[in-house]
Structures are given as C-alpha cells and as structure tokens.
Amino acid sequence: MRVLISDANILIDLEEGQIIESAFMAPFDLCVPDILFHEELEEQHDHLLALGLGVLELSGESLGYAGALGQSHSAPSRNDLFALALARQEQCPLLTGDRALRVVAEQEGVDVRGTLWLVEHLVVCNLLDVAMARDAYKRMRERGRRLPWKLAEEGLHRLEKSLSRRND
C-alpha cells in the first residue's frame, strides 16, 4: 500500500468538499506528522483518526532537516516543513495546497501532489464520479477554499472525455 503525507490544507479541502470519506477508501494511506496533527487537526478534526488517518512520528534526523529548512525558507510554516520532512523520511509523495511548501518540496526533490490530483485520482479509482467531483469543488469554492478553479474544471473535463472514450 502506498503512503501519502498530507498537510492540513488538503484534508480541510476534502472535508469542505464533503469527500473526505472517499479519500480514506482510496488505495493508499493518508498520514500526517504527529506534531501537525496535535497542533492543527486534533481539536476540530480528530474524527479523521477513525476514518483512517495515520499519525507518524518524525525521526530526530527529520526534525533536524525540517529545522534546517526553516532557517533557509521562511515562507512555509513550521508544520508544513514537518510534513515535507516526513514525506522525505517515508520516501513518499507530499500532498499540499500551499504554494510556498510546493516550491521547497520540489527543490528538495520530493514528489508533490495537490487537491486537484487527489480529487481526479478518486474519480479514476471509481470512488467519485465526475459530477460528484464537480459538486465537491463547488462546495470547496463556496467555503472559501483557494484552488486553481480553471485547472480544476479542465481536469474534470479531460476525465469526462477519457471516461466516455473508455465506455464507447
């Protein structure tokens, strides 16, 4: 099973879109650093544990790595850098909606994905259909989530075309 390390943004996007349960049915484990969970998610989102959210501990080396990144990159938050350090530690992709974190992760050679990729992946895995994904994006937008909406619609349009070709 594949592991994906997430920042808080992605999980909140999925909750606002009311598709969080679908994400935990996908063929991968969603995990966050323990520090991020306790500081950003535990109070209002502890129900994610029952859905299957994994909470992983950073090694001493990874904590030091995150600290060093914080010295040279001021834009990502400390908890976001912990997510990056955990993705590096676990040698798996990082899910983030934070542009500054994405830039640093790419510089560090870590595979980075975002909400759009995840929603499209849920469609490909038949956990959502395109209409459900479109509705989820609509709810995210109405709740003030910041996503590249034009790219989101373009991705769903490509999926619709691809899926209709497969069904022909």
Side-chain angles (χ1 to χ4, degrees):
M1 176 137 334
R2 188 170 160 180
V3 173
L4 300 174
I5 303 301
S6 183
D7 69 3
N9 266 334
I10 297 288
L11 298 170
I12 295 168
D13 285 348
L14 298 175
E15 282 202 301
E16 294 292 353
Q18 299 174 4
I19 56 172
I20 191 78
E21 292 84 3
S22 297
F24 285 103
M25 292 188 291
F28 46 71
D29 290 329
L30 287 173
C31 299
V32 295
D34 56 349
I35 300 166
L36 183 150
F37 178 77
H38 295 301
E39 291 184 0
E40 293 188 38
L41 297 170
E42 187 171 34
E43 191 173 308
Q44 294 181 11
H45 304 277
D46 68 333
H47 60 280
L48 296 177
L49 295 174
L51 292 174
L53 180 66
V55 178
L56 302 179
E57 192 173 310
L58 288 157
S59 68
E61 180 183 324
S62 292
L63 283 169
Y65 172 73
L69 285 175
Q71 297 296 317
S72 56
H73 300 281
S74 60
S77 74
R78 182 177 73 101
N79 283 338
D80 283 346
L81 292 174
F82 287 146
L84 170 55
L86 185 61
R88 182 175 172 261
Q89 172 184 303
E90 300 299 317
Q91 300 179 350
C92 63
L94 172 67
L95 294 173
T96 183
D98 183 274
R99 183 173 298 155
L101 181 58
R102 177 180 290 272
V103 168
V104 175
E106 288 171 350
Q107 290 171 353
E108 294 295 310
V110 173
D111 184 16
V112 185
R113 310 293 170 97
T115 299
L116 303 188
W117 175 86
L118 186 52
V119 170
E120 289 175 19
H121 193 73
L122 295 176
V123 172
V124 170
C125 290
N126 293 314
L127 295 168
L128 297 176
D129 61 32
V130 172
M132 293 165 73
R134 200 168 267 125
D135 287 344
Y137 282 148
K138 182 178 182 227
R139 286 187 292 273
M140 288 178 208
R141 188 176 206 159
E142 288 170 350
R143 289 170 173 85
R145 303 308 295 167
R146 295 175 302 191
L147 294 171
W149 300 114
K150 184 176 184 217
L151 291 177
E153 183 53 42
E154 288 170 359
L156 292 181
H157 184 69
R158 273 192 312 278
L159 275 173
E160 279 177 322
K161 287 171 79 173
S162 173
L163 293 172
S164 71
R165 275 190 230 119
R166 248 194 283 172
N167 293 334
D168 288 343

